[in-house]
Amino acid sequence: MILAGLQKNSFIDFPGKISCVLFTTGCNFICPYCHNADLARGEYPARFKLAQVIDFLKSRRGMLEGVAITGGEPTLEGGIVDLCRAVKSLGYPVKLDTNGSRPAVLRGLLEQGLVDFIAMDIKAPLNDYHPFSRDPKIHERLAASIRMIMESAPAYEFRTTCAAPFVNANSVETIARTIEGAACYVLQPFNRRAVCLDPEFNRRQDPTLFPDEMMRLKTLAAPFVRTCMIR
């Protein structure tokens, strides 16, 4: 297994823990505002073998409190089970970032107790994913992942990157109704300085939703979930 990147320290990627971040490469979505464009395209900013990562994690025992695995889309990686099992064998909790498109992989990880926290991105209402995925059944897979996470994940959050024109009051309320009763829903402002998968995305127009609009979206979503926050 080859990993595309390793961030040695993070205070924000694993809620409540000092973590390192492991990056896989390749994604089955085509989100125009994606800020990990090289990873999404399957390119390798760096190359780390699993053995190198394990050696690093062994050397950081007592300093790191968890490991976050992100991408790209980690559930596309054939070695994701082996990676999570190796990390867990060293005593580290595992957080997984996912787009939710592969519920069968999530089920396997959860049934084997290999993930402690799942963060699933929800891009838009489930029937409006055509800008992000060409899979005609993607809404079914996403719905299955949402149900599974809410029923089985030890800890989790759902997240929406708030970038116009994809996100507005109607879409956020629809998403919040879809995950009604969820433990946590996070609204993330789009970073207009990001280099996007579509290089023209934030050049054609300003997709930023400013603080007053973000607060409005939070107010709309909050009644449907236990915790709603802007990060």
Side-chain angles (χ1 to χ4, degrees):
M1 179 177 181
I2 300 295
L3 291 162
L6 167 63
Q7 182 180 333
K8 294 181 177 180
N9 293 288
S10 171
F11 296 92
I12 61 173
D13 284 276
F14 196 143
K17 298 186 185 299
I18 301 170
S19 69
C20 73
V21 186
L22 306 180
F23 296 88
T24 67
T25 188
C27 188
N28 53 346
F29 279 10
I30 47 172
C31 309
Y33 54 74
C34 176
H35 65 278
N36 283 340
D38 289 345
L39 294 173
R41 285 191 291 260
E43 299 172 2
Y44 289 84
R47 294 176 67 91
F48 296 90
K49 293 183 179 179
L50 180 55
Q52 292 174 280
V53 173
I54 296 307
D55 287 344
F56 167 77
L57 292 175
K58 287 179 178 178
S59 73
R60 291 301 192 274
R61 280 174 167 155
M63 291 178 279
L64 291 176
E65 300 171 327
V67 175
I69 303 173
T70 190
E73 173 50 42
T75 61
L76 296 175
E77 174 57 60
I80 188 64
V81 171
D82 291 337
L83 173 61
C84 292
R85 183 176 289 119
V87 172
K88 291 282 287 181
S89 73
L90 297 174
Y92 289 103
V94 171
K95 180 211 174 208
L96 180 74
D97 291 344
T98 182
N99 61 24
S101 63
R102 304 195 77 201
V105 176
L106 293 180
R107 182 182 301 109
L109 291 170
L110 287 167
E111 288 178 349
Q112 296 177 69
L114 296 178
V115 288
D116 302 275
F117 192 111
I118 296 178
M120 177 178 162
D121 290 307
I122 303 179
K123 316 291 183 181
L126 303 193
N127 289 322
D128 294 334
Y129 258 66
H130 53 278
F132 313 111
S133 172
R134 298 188 178 99
D135 181 352
K137 294 184 179 280
I138 190 60
H139 61 290
E140 296 175 10
R141 304 186 209 286
L142 297 172
S145 292
I146 289 169
R147 287 194 301 272
M148 189 185 317
I149 290 168
M150 291 179 66
E151 292 171 0
S152 304
Y156 66 90
E157 67 182 27
F158 297 108
R159 311 181 299 198
T160 296
T161 297
C162 298
F166 303 115
V167 172
N168 54 40
N170 288 335
S171 60
V172 165
E173 184 172 350
T174 301
I175 293 169
R177 289 179 181 274
T178 300
I179 59 170
E180 187 169 1
C184 185
Y185 183 34
V186 178
L187 301 173
Q188 301 179 144
F190 172 75
N191 178 5
R192 59 179 164 176
R193 293 182 295 276
V195 178
C196 300
L197 183 62
D198 176 359
E200 298 300 316
F201 176 72
N202 50 353
R203 296 175 187 168
R204 289 189 294 264
Q205 63 179 20
D206 185 354
T208 306
L209 300 184
F210 292 99
D212 56 343
E213 181 62 15
M214 291 298 299
M215 285 301 301
R216 178 170 175 249
L217 298 181
K218 178 184 174 183
T219 299
L220 287 169
F224 300 98
V225 296
R226 283 180 269 165
T227 298
C228 184
M229 66 178 71
I230 298 169
R231 181 181 293 152

